[in-house]
Amino acid sequence: EHGRLRQPHYIAEGQPHYIAEGQPHYIAEGQQQGIAEEMRGLERWLLEKGKSKNTVANYLRILRSIYREVAGEDDDPEEDILELCAVGNQPTRGVNGKGLELIPELEGLRLEAKGDLDWGRDLFLMSFYAGGMPIGTLATLRRVAPGVYVYGDDGKKALVACKQLERLLQKYGGEGSRYALPILERAGRGTASSKVEYAGKVAARALAEVGTRIGVPWLSMKNARSLAAAAQQQSSKAKVKRQKSRGKKLR
């Protein structure tokens, strides 16, 4: 009743399981299983239903966030309810088998300065370094202090840029420009949404050609978001390891 998901069996007797009738049951009636085993069962079921590994991993991460919010102070920071879920703990292979090594490959490409290919590549990298931020949101970035930007229609959300993102944004920020990127202030008529759409189309064409050069012909802005998620996942795992290491030293 008070939301403790740590109970051995959060599905009450007589209630339907998340596994449909006729499907194999990974949670037997009355079996005392921990939350990690139940998450593994859910993962296997979703994969068998045809969901992609990235989709399943996203669902499980959402469930983990809800679990931690509900558990509150009772949550053990060293316990990961997805420890048995391979897709929740393995690094994402982003594009055509390439993972985060794709980022230095893109940065190392020699392209015509501020040409369409350079612009598309830079938008991809900016999205990655901004945590997977889409073009429509990147377009609203406004610099308020060195390395600090606000974004959104109301400008109430803040972003502290890493040095790589700050370098890219400074490359396009002009004197007297309201925004960090020349998307919404592009010359010509049109609404903000049409200008963002145009920038997206230019980037898509550019990324297709850039991707071909490095063996990733289907490169797109969507890949920047998946790689950003993989980087955040690696960072979280490293943080947990450091916390465990400090805990052992204290003992």
Side-chain angles (χ1 to χ4, degrees), residues 28-251:
E29 290 295 330
Q31 184 177 1
Q32 300 295 298
Q33 290 192 325
I35 188 69
E37 285 83 359
E38 295 188 24
M39 292 299 99
R40 175 57 178 156
L42 176 58
E43 176 199 40
R44 290 171 60 188
W45 180 72
L46 288 169
L47 289 172
E48 289 179 359
K49 298 294 286 184
K51 299 295 183 182
S52 71
K53 289 185 177 181
N54 282 339
T55 297
V56 173
N58 186 45
Y59 288 168
L60 293 176
R61 284 193 291 267
I62 292 172
L63 282 174
R64 179 170 57 188
S65 297
I66 295 172
Y67 168 79
R68 287 175 174 171
E69 183 177 349
V70 170
E73 294 181 355
D74 294 330
D75 186 31
D76 183 352
E78 294 189 4
E79 179 182 310
D80 184 1
I81 65 172
L82 301 182
E83 61 182 349
L84 302 180
C85 301
V87 295
N89 289 302
Q90 293 179 348
T92 301
R93 303 300 296 176
V95 195
N96 280 19
K98 292 188 177 184
L100 294 174
E101 67 270 19
L102 184 64
I103 300 303
E105 278 192 63
L106 287 170
E107 291 178 326
L109 283 176
R110 293 187 177 182
L111 303 171
E112 180 186 352
K114 294 192 176 181
D116 284 353
L117 299 187
D118 191 38
W119 168 244
R121 184 264 310 271
D122 287 350
L123 271 179
F124 184 99
L125 292 173
M126 284 186 275
S127 175
F128 170 78
Y129 286 123
M133 187 176 285
I135 292 179
T137 306
L138 287 171
T140 65
L141 285 172
R142 299 195 298 276
R143 192 170 186 261
V144 294
V148 181
Y149 295 80
V150 293
Y151 61 94
D153 294 335
D154 54 8
K156 293 183 178 179
K157 297 178 181 179
L159 169 70
V160 178
C162 63
K163 62 181 181 180
Q164 296 94 332
L165 178 58
E166 175 72 351
R167 175 177 55 81
L168 288 165
L169 289 171
Q170 286 184 346
K171 176 179 177 179
Y172 292 96
E175 290 293 332
S177 298
R178 180 185 179 191
Y179 299 101
L181 295 175
I183 295 177
L184 297 180
E185 294 180 338
R186 183 173 61 86
R189 297 181 179 180
T191 62
S193 60
S194 67
K195 291 180 179 181
V196 169
E197 183 180 0
Y198 175 78
K201 289 180 179 179
V202 173
R205 289 194 297 267
L207 287 173
E209 184 171 341
V210 169
T212 300
R213 295 189 182 188
I214 58 175
V216 187
W218 302 110
L219 189 65
S220 71
M221 293 297 293
K222 181 179 179 181
N223 301 134
R225 294 193 290 275
S226 64
L227 289 175
Q232 291 170 356
Q233 186 178 345
Q234 283 192 6
S235 177
S236 297
K237 289 173 66 177
K239 182 178 179 180
V240 170
K241 287 182 179 179
R242 289 195 297 269
Q243 289 176 340
K244 288 183 177 180
S245 178
R246 285 197 294 267
K248 289 179 180 179
K249 290 180 180 179
L250 290 174
R251 294 193 191 101

